[in-house]
Amino acid sequence: MVKRKRILIISHNSLSLHSNNGKTLTSIFDSWGPNEVAQLYFQDEVPESRRFKNFFRVRDLDIIQTILLFSRSRACGHVVESLESVKDHYSEASTVKIVVVNLLRRTNAVKLLLRDVIYRTKIWRSDALLKWIQSFAPDSIFFVGGNSIFSFVISNEIAKTFLVPMDIYITDDYVLNVRPRGILSKFLHARLLRIYHSSFALARHVFVIGEEMGAEFGKVFGREFVPIMNSVQFPFDFPFRDISIRGCDHLDVVYAGGLHLGRDRSLLEFGELLLSVSKISAVRIRLTVYSMQEPSKRLLREFGKFDIVFGGSLNSDELKMRLIKADFALHVESFERRYAQLTKLSISTKLPEYFAAGVCLIAFGPADLASIRMVIDNNIGVALTEVDSFEKKIEKLRVIVESPEIKSQLARSGFEFAKNKFDAEVNREKMEVLLNNWE
């Protein structure tokens, strides 16, 4: 049996089999044993894992309650049991918490500042947490960083306390292409940039979500960045896809992902395109949206205008089965600059799953985003960008709707490209070499 390091994952989100960063982490550590991975996380979530059982959660609410009760001795955070299947990661969150979070999302800078102030009290550093970490005895820390300073501070402090190296993973760009507005946002951005510089300098390895992010970060921070994408298990050969089993009278387009960062508006714009293509080609085309986020009543009404159906949420196994039946998979990003700046260097975690299913990809978003440019540069799908006129977008869609041969060719190209780039075995071998270096 291979002897591996014991890894303490520190991240905002818990492990998951279907939800963004949690799903990526599950894939990265799939070859680790159940006693070789533990996780400390900060969101009000339920961990989803079929292998790992060792989780500790510290929430904002835990710290606030401790402050209000004037009790430093009160346990701040606690061990959480994972489940093998989680439909809603936030099922334990109170109604009050959900309302407050939704309000604070509108003023993100205020939310970030409040969280930093709360965690600066160091109440998170409870005896219960320190004993839990000591009991696990990590050999290293794997920290998933974002736009919150407090989690960088906590990870650095734990690494220093337990005298273990820290590796960092960055999945979104919150520093290079962000253009903060207002005094508070600019102040927080400057602080975040400083903590990135200091943490990267101390880290053993820094991993990023894609090659483009690695290149851009390397120029600014002056060190090597290792690209690690969300990985999936690819079949040996291009999957046989019998669309006849679908049993419906329309072309089927599937979108699986978030409705935030302006993607809801892009879905509506794409729906309008589908209606136009449907009229020209005399073929009914239906877009079905799957998301962990529940759309508002207003958005559902707008979906209805363009024959867009909301199908609820899917776990990883359900998504695989759903993609087998689809004609096309859709990836969308927002054309609004404030959102496009945040996703410019990121590669969507859903793309490898689309390619592995052997389904033809349609990408809808700005041409300068890494996800969209990857599709264009490698001819692994149809990309509709701001460079195209409305008529040009219609023509691109019409070609793949009316030509099964072109659709199949693009699907196969996407599969072959992604198998070399995103196959789980390749990325896990790379991670094992780097994280299991005992020197």
Side-chain angles (χ1 to χ4, degrees), residues 123-136:
I123 292 175
W124 62 267
R125 191 183 167 97
S126 65
D127 289 341
L129 173 59
L130 295 179
K131 288 179 181 177
W132 176 79
I133 297 174
Q134 188 174 32
S135 174
F136 176 66

Side-chain angles (χ1 to χ4, degrees), residues 41 70 136 150 154 210 219 372 432:
Y41 68 99
F70 303 102
F136 176 66
F150 79 86
I154 289 174
K219 294 175 186 176
I372 306 297
E432 286 207 36

